Amino acid sequence: MLRAFRDAFRIPDLQRKIVFTLLLLAVYRLGSAIPTPGVNTAALEQATSGGLFGLISMLSGGNLSQFSIFALGVLPYITASIVIQLMTTTIPALEKLSKEGEEGRKKINQFTRYAAVGLGAVQALFFSLYITSNPSFLAPGWDPGIFTLVVMVLTQVAGIAFTMWIGERITDVGVGNGISLIITAGIIAVYPREIAATAQLISTDQVQILSLVAFVAVILLTIAGIVYVYQAERRVPVTYARARAGTAGQARGAGQATWLPIKVNQAGVIPVIFASAMLILPNLIATATVTRAPAVNAWIQTNLTFGQPLYLLLEAALIFGFTYLYNSVQFDPKRIAEQLREAGGFIPGVRPGTPTAEFLGTISGRLSLWGATFLVILTVMPQLVQSATGITTFQFSGTGLLIIVGVALETLKQLEAQLTVRRYDGFISKGRIRGRLNN
């Protein structure tokens, strides 16, 4: 990995791409320090810790807790991308558009941008109403009126559009996937402050050194496990029949062997986000019934809050459900079996058509079980480790580590691919020069 980055900085073209990417990420982080007009960031930061708000704030680099101009960041774009992706597999017009190559992809991306702006406006309105409903969240001199609401919503919509532009510029001109790098930069940005707070606990003897060592060891083991599972895949052997002319002018079959890779964790962090979104509903109900139904509110606060056993159990069940649901939509065994048959491919020992679809469906189901188990461990283990060690100043999140490791591996693959292309270009250029000299 270090050699790939070192070689990339030695090539002027890649060096410019990397510097351009870092500059745009710096612009994004600079905007994250600018609060939305009319918001009391100190009071809001205390109220948005934990639960779904804590997860969203982590993905946005703490922007939501401060409600900066990039508070929502790329979250509406991610949600819109997931919705459009799911609709592509169910709506024939979008599915046809996705098969039209580069032009179809551009149109789908345009639809995604429009959906992200619209969804972002709705989310901005929701959070703005939440802020204006509590006078302590408003800065001095600001009233919870329509003017304050409009200013907050317009600021957030502008921030969403600008963040999408930064992500697309990084993807087109820089290195890596811009949206993923923005999320990663936001997660990493809060680490220095949390490390300093953890060091202060050690210096004041609030946490023992042994607990810190165990905490760091678990983080390192988690990173190693994420790397292993992220790259793990089941390679299904596939043979493509290739016809070639025989001695009598007839075609004889010749096989070309390859494989169909199926990742263990196909859904990524999407099931975790959806499960957290579902579990925020009981807390909203508790807030609404605090005066009308105090018994319901007390039961929810006791059993369905972040870190409680029942909360962890429901979260694990929802992660399993959303993992199977997302994988069933993304990985369609019938469609893949049909594509293999049309391309003249088959799985050795499995008949084409329905038997191939059933075979692939069985493999996908087993991998979904292991993928969901992996996500549950990543979600539950940090909460248990924090409770056991007493270190709550560092936001140890398996979801955040999964995003960071995944983005780092994908960016590294892109760098290595571009280095390989440039090496081949160098070989071709040298070959042409030698050919001209020989002639």
Side-chain angles (χ1 to χ4, degrees):
M1 180 182 295
L2 295 178
R3 185 177 62 181
F5 280 104
R6 182 195 61 189
D7 294 342
F9 273 101
R10 291 179 178 178
I11 300 176
D13 186 22
L14 286 180
Q15 186 178 5
R16 286 192 295 267
K17 289 177 176 289
I18 294 174
V19 172
F20 179 80
T21 301
L22 294 176
L23 287 176
L24 285 185
L25 291 177
V27 171
Y28 172 74
R29 292 309 307 166
L30 179 63
S32 301
I34 303 175
T36 300
V39 177
N40 184 355
T41 57
L44 185 62
E45 189 171 2
Q46 295 180 353
T48 56
S49 59
L52 178 63
F53 290 105
L55 177 64
I56 297 176
S57 183
M58 179 199 68
L59 296 178
S60 62
N63 293 339
L64 181 63
S65 60
Q66 300 174 0
F67 209 66
S68 67
I69 60 175
F70 295 154
L72 297 177
V74 296
L75 295 177
Y77 182 84
I78 295 173
T79 307
S81 299
I82 296 172
V83 173
I84 295 295
Q85 194 175 11
L86 295 176
M87 292 174 62
T88 302
T89 60
T90 56
I91 299 179
L94 289 177
E95 185 177 4
K96 181 180 178 181
L97 194 62
S98 64
K99 298 178 180 179
E100 294 182 359
E102 185 66 20
E103 293 299 324
R105 186 182 67 84
K106 289 181 179 179
K107 291 182 180 179
I108 291 179
N109 288 340
Q110 188 176 8
F111 295 154
T112 305
R113 295 190 201 100
Y114 294 152
V117 172
L119 182 62
V122 175
Q123 292 178 350
L125 179 62
F126 170 78
F127 285 112
S128 299
L129 288 173
Y130 174 74
I131 292 174
T132 55
S133 64
N134 193 333
S136 63
F137 294 158
L138 294 176
W142 288 80
D143 297 325
I146 188 65
F147 176 78
T148 302
L149 193 64
V150 171
V151 169
M152 291 182 180
V153 172
L154 291 180
T155 301
Q156 292 304 312
V157 171
I160 292 168
F162 187 69
T163 304
M164 285 193 299
W165 180 85
I166 291 178
E168 292 177 356
R169 289 296 88 199
I170 293 176
T171 303
D172 296 338
V173 184
V175 177
N177 184 282
I179 302 299
S180 300
L181 287 174
I182 287 176
I183 297 175
T184 304
I187 297 174
I188 296 176
V190 300
Y191 282 173
R193 183 174 66 250
E194 294 179 349
I195 292 175
T198 305
Q200 186 176 2
L201 291 180
I202 299 296
S203 62
T204 56
D205 294 333
Q206 298 183 35
V207 175
Q208 297 181 358
I209 298 294
L210 185 61
S211 298
L212 179 63
V213 172
F215 187 79
V216 174
V218 171
I219 292 179
L220 295 178
L221 289 175
T222 303
I223 294 176
I226 290 173
V227 173
Y228 181 78
V229 176
Y230 186 85
Q231 295 181 325
E233 60 185 17
R234 168 70 186 275
R235 294 181 175 181
V236 181
V238 177
T239 301
Y240 288 93
R242 181 178 57 185
R244 64 181 182 182
T247 56
Q250 298 178 351
R252 294 188 303 175
Q256 183 179 5
T258 181
W259 61 78
L260 175 66
I262 306 177
K263 284 186 170 295
V264 174
N265 182 26
Q266 304 177 56
V269 297
I270 293 176
V272 179
I273 296 175
F274 283 178
S276 300
M278 293 295 295
L279 288 175
I280 197 63
L281 295 178
N283 292 281
L284 295 178
I285 295 175
T287 304
T289 59
V290 63
T291 56
R292 299 180 180 179
V296 175
N297 174 72
W299 187 87
I300 292 176
Q301 293 294 335
T302 305
N303 300 282
L304 293 181
T305 54
F306 191 75
Q308 297 298 323
L310 183 58
Y311 180 94
L312 296 177
L313 182 63
L314 290 177
E315 189 175 25
L318 288 173
I319 289 175
F320 267 91
F322 283 123
T323 299
Y324 277 93
L325 176 62
Y326 187 83
N327 290 346
S328 65
V329 174
Q330 291 299 308
F331 187 84
D332 188 358
K334 294 183 180 179
R335 178 173 55 85
I336 295 177
E338 185 66 24
Q339 291 176 351
L340 288 176
R341 185 169 60 180
E342 292 177 355
F346 62 92
I347 300 175
V350 182
R351 293 174 58 86
T354 303
T356 299
E358 294 177 352
F359 179 77
L360 293 176
T362 302
I363 294 177
S364 178
R366 293 175 179 175
L367 293 180
S368 298
L369 174 62
W370 289 108
T373 304
F374 168 70
L375 291 177
V376 169
I377 293 175
L378 277 183
T379 304
V380 175
M381 183 181 62
Q383 303 178 40
L384 299 178
V385 171
Q386 287 183 337
S387 300
T389 59
I391 300 176
T392 58
T393 54
F394 188 86
Q395 187 64 34
F396 173 35
S397 170
T399 305
L401 291 178
L402 178 62
I403 294 174
I404 293 174
V405 173
V407 172
L409 292 175
E410 291 297 330
T411 305
L412 179 62
K413 289 180 181 179
Q414 290 192 20
L415 277 177
E416 291 179 343
Q418 295 192 30
L419 286 172
T420 303
V421 170
R422 281 160 176 78
R423 291 193 187 102
Y424 281 127
D425 289 343
F427 295 154
I428 293 173
S429 301
K430 292 178 182 178
R432 290 175 179 174
I433 293 174
R434 292 176 181 174
R436 291 175 183 176
L437 293 176
N438 292 333
N439 293 332

